[in-house]
Structures are given as structure tokens and as C-alpha cells.
Amino acid sequence: MDDLYRDFILEHYKRPRNFGELEPHDLEAHEYNPLCGDEIGVQIKVADGKIADLRFNGHGCAISQAAASIATEELIGMDVEEAAKLDADWMLALLGIDISATRRKCALLLLKALRHAITGDGSWPVGATD
Ligand code: FES
């Protein structure tokens, strides 16, 4: 992994943005990665059809936690319906590194929880692989 991107990922892993609980919230969901048992929960406050605020919590590998932290910075302010349709390409582009097929679900765990919270559908985002 390129040093610059590794530092970017590690920095988010060590100091995750928007981590914790959000009270009150309008939507929430909790998901886990069946491959490893790592977990991410998300709580969302909605206003005027947009994500007004959001927090995530849980535990997992550096990729899952850093991806969640990085994603939350983009998600706050986004249209809720648009956020529910985000796919693997969106997340991987934000991460900016090559993620092997076996680690893809690490990177997509936050999106899975987000989509579950918004739509009730806890399936993996488009582009996830086994
Ligand atoms: Fe569990 Fe990455 S190893 S989410």
C-alpha cells in the first residue's frame, strides 16, 4: 500500500470522525461482517430529507473503521435516498487504495449498516464480493 494512503487510513482508524452515539436519532441499524464478526452500528438524524447528523460505533479492522470514518464525513448533508443507493465504487474511490476481494466487505460494512438504517434492507451494497 502506498505510504500516503496507508497514513490516511491509519489516521482515520486512530482518530475516527463521527464516532459514538447520537441522541436523539431518527434511524439506526447494526450490522456485522460474517467473515470475521466485526460490527458497525449507525445512528442518523434526518432533516428535510437529508442526513443532518450521523454517528457510527462498533469495532473492527483498520479498513472497516477507517472506511466508516471517511464515509461519514461525506454522508452528513447528503440526501437520504441518495445515500441509500451508494455502492462499492463510491466507497472504494473515497478510500483511494486497492482493496482485495477478501477485504471488500471490511470497506463496505458502514454502507451496509447505513442502507439497512434507511431502507430496512441489510443486504450488502452493489459491488460487494464474497
Ligand atoms: Fe472484520 Fe475487516 S476483518 S471487517
Side-chain angles (χ1 to χ4, degrees):
M1 199 188 296
D2 183 290
D3 281 354
L4 186 67
Y5 287 120
R6 191 186 59 209
D7 289 349
F8 173 61
I9 300 286
L10 285 178
E11 206 275 322
H12 272 272
Y13 178 53
K14 288 180 187 158
R15 287 199 318 114
R17 319 302 194 266
N18 302 305
F19 186 90
E21 305 288 326
L22 182 63
E23 297 293 349
H25 56 265
D26 301 300
L27 304 169
E28 73 174 325
H30 197 94
E31 286 291 339
Y32 72 103
N33 183 346
L35 300 176
C36 60
D38 291 345
E39 303 174 25
I40 284 184
V42 66
Q43 296 175 327
I44 303 168
K45 185 151 187 55
V46 178
D48 298 327
K50 295 188 184 305
I51 296 176
D53 207 354
L54 177 157
R55 294 286 181 282
F56 80 97
N57 54 68
H59 61 89
C61 65
I63 296 288
S64 71
Q65 301 299 298
S69 172
I70 292 162
T72 62
E73 292 197 307
E74 300 295 318
L75 289 166
I76 295 172
M78 190 180 286
D79 186 90
V80 172
E81 299 299 322
E82 186 187 332
K85 293 181 198 149
L86 293 171
D87 61 11
D89 287 347
W90 180 84
M91 188 68 248
L92 297 177
L94 273 185
L95 275 173
I97 55 168
D98 280 337
I99 302 280
S100 66
T102 53
R103 302 302 300 277
R104 271 197 164 207
K105 284 184 174 168
C106 303
L108 297 173
L109 194 51
L110 184 278
L111 277 195
K112 185 177 197 272
L114 178 86
R115 175 185 170 127
H116 191 176
I118 296 172
T119 68
D121 173 6
S123 57
W124 289 97
V126 172
T129 53
D130 285 324

